[in-house]
Amino acid sequence: MAARNITAVSRKKDTMEVWWVAPNGSVQDAYWYETGGGWKQFELAPAGSATAGGIAAVSRIPTSMEIWWVGPKGSVEGAYWYETSNQGWQRYQIAPPGSAAIGTPISVVSRIPTSMELWWVGPDGSVQDAYWYDNGKGWQRFQLAGPGSAAIGGIAATARIPGSMEIWWVAPNGSVQDAYWYETGGGWNRFELAPAGSATAGGIAAVSRIPTSMELWYIAPDGSVQDAYWYDNKKGWQHFQLAPAKSATAGGIGAVSRISTSMELWWVGPDGSVQDAYWYDNGKGWQYFQLAGPTNASPRGIATTSRIPGSMEIWWIGANGSVQDSYWYDSKPWNQFQLAGAGSAG
């Protein structure tokens, strides 16, 4: 099981923000504005606030961001920021100690500007759900899947349309489980997307590039990268192998869709390299290349964002605990730099 210790958002086109858990359990924040001055960093939560593992963020509106992490006693902690407030970041606890498994991933979506939904794995292997609506009632919680349902590993979610959400996780037997919800009623429904032995308790990533499609990637026990995709054409989910055995290590995997006709995926290779696979709706299929060479990355997380259609940015935790940044602009090659020095990230 590999922890995912880094997350990022772009709340509007001229800014990005990235967070990670430091070795001392603090939560670190780095932000960038196009107006100049480069990247700035500060400590969002002090030492002892977070455990290595789940950290997730979302921006439901351009003037706000929210981030969550797991505390050392298994609580789920949150922090939020509003541009219209002069109070800076505010913190709160969404779930008390003992609510989350140490090392659990966290996944979040905001399907509409007035709502957010969050998932994590409980100490008993249940899948926990917390949701919020801008109606003054605060956060509400329920159990989405019972004890023994999930391994302490990958969990991913997306909202392809405002009236629906879908979430995937890896079960203890290595199957990939799927739960979906539609606003039209009926509550949450579940099914098995991939059978026992399909996935490791590590990375899983998903995107929805168009409202009628979703795509999911996960790492198999043999180190291959598996792809499952769905179109709203009544054919159900289709599966194929994106990268062969020994391509990936359980842990860091991330994806983004910067435009409706393209997707890009990154993962950490067994040699600590960062691998890139990209797809365009041009009939050429998936293409591959190595973004960063051997010993560059640890399997402790990849974070991605696309702040504008002509750019992508990816962050990962280096083998030496540094935070590495690689960015791309349309018609230009990838560039890489170190955002935070060795020993910065757990």
Side-chain angles (χ1 to χ4, degrees):
M1 184 273 295
R4 271 144 309 284
N5 290 351
I6 191 164
T7 189
V9 299
S10 174
R11 63 183 178 88
K12 54 184 185 178
K13 65 181 183 179
D14 61 351
T15 182
M16 298 175 286
E17 202 136 349
V18 59
W19 302 265
W20 63 88
V21 179
N24 66 357
S26 63
V27 178
Q28 301 294 317
D29 187 311
Y31 62 92
W32 175 92
Y33 284 86
E34 197 172 26
T35 49
W39 284 88
K40 309 291 187 183
Q41 294 184 39
F42 69 96
E43 185 174 88
L44 177 60
S49 296
T51 60
I55 186 169
V58 77
S59 175
R60 64 180 180 89
I61 52 176
T63 56
S64 178
M65 299 174 286
E66 203 139 346
I67 176 176
W68 302 267
W69 64 86
V70 177
K73 295 183 179 180
S75 62
V76 179
E77 305 292 329
Y80 60 89
W81 177 92
Y82 284 88
E83 192 174 40
T84 53
S85 170
N86 59 5
Q87 296 182 344
W89 284 91
Q90 303 293 307
R91 288 184 54 190
Y92 67 99
Q93 188 175 88
I94 196 170
S99 298
I102 301 302
T104 177
I106 295 176
S107 190
V108 61
V109 298
S110 176
R111 62 182 181 87
I112 53 177
T114 56
S115 180
M116 298 175 284
E117 200 134 352
L118 186 72
W119 301 269
W120 68 86
V121 178
D124 59 359
S126 60
V127 178
Q128 299 293 317
D129 187 311
Y131 62 92
W132 176 93
Y133 285 88
D134 192 10
N135 57 10
K137 294 183 179 179
W139 284 90
Q140 307 294 313
R141 289 179 53 200
F142 69 95
Q143 183 172 274
L144 177 60
S149 295
I152 303 173
I155 191 168
T158 195
R160 64 179 181 89
I161 53 176
S164 179
M165 297 175 286
E166 201 137 351
I167 174 177
W168 303 266
W169 66 86
V170 179
N173 66 356
S175 63
V176 178
Q177 300 293 316
D178 186 311
Y180 61 92
W181 175 92
Y182 284 88
E183 195 172 31
T184 49
W188 284 89
N189 291 278
R190 286 179 54 191
F191 68 96
E192 186 172 270
L193 178 62
S198 295
T200 59
I204 188 168
V207 299
S208 175
R209 64 179 180 89
I210 53 176
T212 56
S213 179
M214 298 175 286
E215 201 132 353
L216 177 75
W217 301 269
Y218 53 91
I219 298 168
D222 64 358
S224 62
V225 179
Q226 301 293 318
D227 187 310
Y229 62 92
W230 177 92
Y231 285 87
D232 192 9
N233 58 10
K234 302 188 185 302
K235 293 183 179 180
W237 284 89
Q238 307 294 312
H239 304 254
F240 70 96
Q241 183 171 278
L242 178 62
K246 300 181 180 179
S247 294
T249 186
I253 188 169
V256 76
S257 176
R258 64 180 181 89
I259 53 176
S260 62
T261 56
S262 179
M263 298 175 286
E264 201 134 351
L265 179 74
W266 301 268
W267 64 85
V268 178
D271 60 356
S273 61
V274 178
Q275 301 295 319
D276 187 309
Y278 61 92
W279 177 92
Y280 285 87
D281 192 10
N282 57 10
K284 294 182 179 180
W286 285 89
Q287 308 293 313
Y288 311 82
F289 69 96
Q290 183 171 274
L291 179 60
T295 72
N296 258 273
S298 76
R300 298 195 297 273
I302 287 177
T304 65
T305 195
S306 175
R307 65 181 181 88
I308 54 175
S311 179
M312 297 175 286
E313 200 134 351
I314 172 177
W315 300 266
W316 65 86
I317 298 173
N320 62 356
S322 61
V323 178
Q324 299 293 320
D325 185 311
S326 188
Y327 62 92
W328 174 91
Y329 284 88
D330 202 0
S331 302
K332 295 181 180 179
W334 282 89
N335 288 278
Q336 183 183 334
F337 69 95
Q338 183 171 276
L339 178 60
S344 295

